Amino acid sequence: MSPPQRSRILKTLIGTGAGNAVEWYDWAIYATFASFIASQLFSKQDTSSAFLATLAIFAVGFVARPLGGFIFGWIGDKVGRKASLTLCVGLASLGSLVIGLTPTYDSIGAGASVMLLIARLIQGLAHGGELPSAQTYLSEMAPPSRRGYWASLIYASGTVGILFGTLLGAVLSTAMPESTMAAYGWRIPFLLGAVFGLVALVMRARMEESELFESGTATHDAVVPGNPTPPHSSLFTDLARHWRQALQVIGLTVGLTVAYYVWGVSTPAYAINVLKIDATEALWAGVAANLVFIVALPLWGRLSDRIGRKPVLLISGIGSALTFFPATWFVQNSAMQLGLAMSAMLVFIAASASIMPAVYSELFPTAVRTIGVAIPYALCVAAFGGTAAYLQAGFSIWFGPGGPTVFGVYTIVLLLIGAATALSLRESRGIDLSTR
């Protein structure tokens, strides 16, 4: 490999990975510090209602994701993948800065909750465009024979962001008294997110544009052999033409997004607030489980490049469904139990998460690849992923001891929908994206 090629690959991987990590860090620290946010930016009269309101705003942040997917998907397909990626990370960091500087409820009353809501909507717009743009860019830059392996960078880098946020939470809660954490310690991760975002923005500004996008733009007025998108077609016409692929994106995503947000992001907060596991121990359990997840991702990605996408997707969906209840029942009142259960689930979730960026990109032609994924994906994540943490906590409050069982049935049904959707796919390992 020549030095210019090596430099190009490094810019692609580091720029995409660093920005993606910042986006996920910004998103995940909200769930990690939800209990502190509830105590500072909402009324203290009813702590349970304040915590549920905090999780509800977490869900509201997902409402903006479809609009963000549309805006940044359009930018990615019409202006460029690089432009979309750069704008996304800047906007996400702005939202993090607003949260970090929001005055307390005691200072400005309901205005604190409103500012939090606005910041989450800003981050929702950014995150709605980030994942589809990053997935498309990385898949187009990857060698076809290693696309699954390269695709694993999306969730690996994102989980590094989540892991850093969780680790930071564990360190801060260990080093600071609870009163200090509640007063200002919880703000530190959000302010750091703004700084990290500025660095990632500069890195992304230095990346190269996807050659596949540039060649597609150059031939936009010509019919490309193998590309079903005709010249001069409108965006909505293009999307309508690929409605089957859009439904497949939704089917593949419903179970993955709920299982991931539960076991990879929100379970430590759930364990702290519902199961009453020590906060510091629960956060450290989350750190350990996410390390397992990061290790598993590239292994599954490489396996998919050898045996195909469909077998790996089926292992993930069926394995996650079979493991869900045993993992839930295993967690009682111990952080060790929490860490082991999270690790077991995340190994199976990693199988889908590692290759989903490649699978999505292999469904659509170049002209609509970003927005074709962005809109159905964002709608699905908003409806299912955005409500996962709220329903997990809410079911336990509303249904008492039966709450976890109700939530488990709900999640398993969604995971099996994902497995059924995987059966409907044509094997796409190693295909040339320029012929899509």
Side-chain angles (χ1 to χ4, degrees), residues 336-417:
M336 178 67 73
Q337 295 169 344
L338 175 65
L340 291 174
M342 288 181 66
S343 297
M345 282 298 300
L346 286 173
V347 166
F348 284 110
I349 293 169
S352 287
S354 64
I355 64 171
M356 206 61 82
V359 174
Y360 292 151
S361 295
E362 290 161 353
L363 287 173
F364 292 91
T366 301
V368 293
R369 183 165 290 130
T370 307
I371 200 166
V373 175
I375 292 179
Y377 178 85
L379 287 170
C380 181
V381 172
F384 295 94
T387 58
Y390 183 82
L391 291 177
Q392 184 187 30
F395 283 172
S396 293
I397 294 173
W398 304 325
F399 296 101
T405 300
V406 176
F407 184 77
V409 171
Y410 165 76
T411 306
I412 288 171
V413 169
L414 297 181
L415 287 168
L416 293 178
I417 289 174

Side-chain angles (χ1 to χ4, degrees), residues 50-67:
F51 182 66
L52 284 177
T54 304
L55 293 182
I57 287 186
F58 182 77
V60 167
F62 283 82
V63 173
R65 291 180 68 153
L67 178 59

Side-chain angles (χ1 to χ4, degrees), residues 52-421:
L52 284 177
T54 304
L55 293 182
I57 287 186
F58 182 77
V60 167
F62 283 82
V63 173
R65 291 180 68 153
L67 178 59
F70 179 84
I71 294 172
F72 290 104
W74 182 88
I75 292 172
D77 286 332
K78 300 300 181 182
V79 181
R81 320 305 196 204
K82 173 182 168 181
S84 179
L85 287 169
T86 304
L87 290 171
C88 282
V89 74
L91 198 61
S93 297
L94 174 62
S96 189
L97 179 64
V98 172
I99 295 175
L101 297 178
T102 297
T104 65
Y105 186 92
D106 291 340
S107 299
I108 62 171
S113 305
V114 172
M115 287 185 66
L116 177 66
L117 175 62
I118 293 172
R120 289 295 298 158
L121 290 173
I122 290 173
Q123 289 185 321
L125 285 172
H127 211 66
E130 165 66 23
L131 203 59
S133 299
Q135 291 174 159
T136 299
Y137 179 76
L138 196 64
S139 294
E140 291 180 348
M141 298 293 283
S145 62
R146 304 191 74 191
R147 191 179 296 123
Y149 182 58
W150 277 44
S152 67
L153 174 68
I154 297 295
Y155 272 86
S157 61
T159 306
V160 168
I162 292 174
L163 181 60
F164 183 75
T166 306
L167 180 61
L168 185 58
V171 170
L172 289 175
S173 64
T174 300
M176 293 183 176
E178 187 173 350
S179 59
T180 305
M181 278 294 296
Y184 66 85
W186 67 272
R187 297 180 184 273
I188 295 173
F190 292 98
L191 297 176
L192 286 175
V195 176
F196 296 153
L198 180 61
V199 174
L201 189 149
V202 173
M203 294 175 68
R204 284 190 165 179
R206 295 176 178 175
M207 295 192 310
E208 297 180 15
E209 183 55 86
S210 159
E211 291 182 4
L212 194 59
F213 168 78
E214 290 182 331
S215 63
T217 302
T219 58
H220 183 71
D221 291 330
V223 176
V224 179
N227 189 337
T229 304
H232 304 300
S233 58
S234 72
L235 178 63
F236 292 104
T237 301
D238 290 343
L239 290 175
R241 186 175 292 108
H242 299 95
W243 64 269
R244 289 184 179 86
Q245 291 94 324
L247 289 178
Q248 286 174 325
V249 169
I250 292 173
L252 291 169
T253 304
V254 285
L256 172 63
T257 187
V258 172
Y260 177 75
Y261 274 105
V262 168
W263 290 102
V265 179
S266 67
T267 291
Y270 170 82
I272 293 168
N273 288 277
V274 178
L275 302 179
K276 306 305 179 184
I277 293 176
D278 178 78
T280 301
E281 293 180 359
L283 291 173
W284 280 114
V287 169
N290 275 286
L291 282 173
V292 172
F293 184 63
I294 291 172
V295 172
L297 284 166
L299 300 179
W300 284 116
R302 179 166 290 180
L303 182 64
S304 80
D305 285 329
R306 295 181 179 178
I307 69 172
R309 315 294 191 222
K310 290 179 67 172
V312 173
L313 291 174
L314 290 171
I315 292 171
S316 177
I318 296 172
S320 297
L322 292 175
T323 309
F324 192 94
F325 271 129
T328 301
W329 294 330
F330 185 70
V331 183
Q332 299 295 324
N333 55 9
S334 164
M336 178 67 73
Q337 295 169 344
L338 175 65
L340 291 174
M342 288 181 66
S343 297
M345 282 298 300
L346 286 173
V347 166
F348 284 110
I349 293 169
S352 287
S354 64
I355 64 171
M356 206 61 82
V359 174
Y360 292 151
S361 295
E362 290 161 353
L363 287 173
F364 292 91
T366 301
V368 293
R369 183 165 290 130
T370 307
I371 200 166
V373 175
I375 292 179
Y377 178 85
L379 287 170
C380 181
V381 172
F384 295 94
T387 58
Y390 183 82
L391 291 177
Q392 184 187 30
F395 283 172
S396 293
I397 294 173
W398 304 325
F399 296 101
T405 300
V406 176
F407 184 77
V409 171
Y410 165 76
T411 306
I412 288 171
V413 169
L414 297 181
L415 287 168
L416 293 178
I417 289 174
T421 304

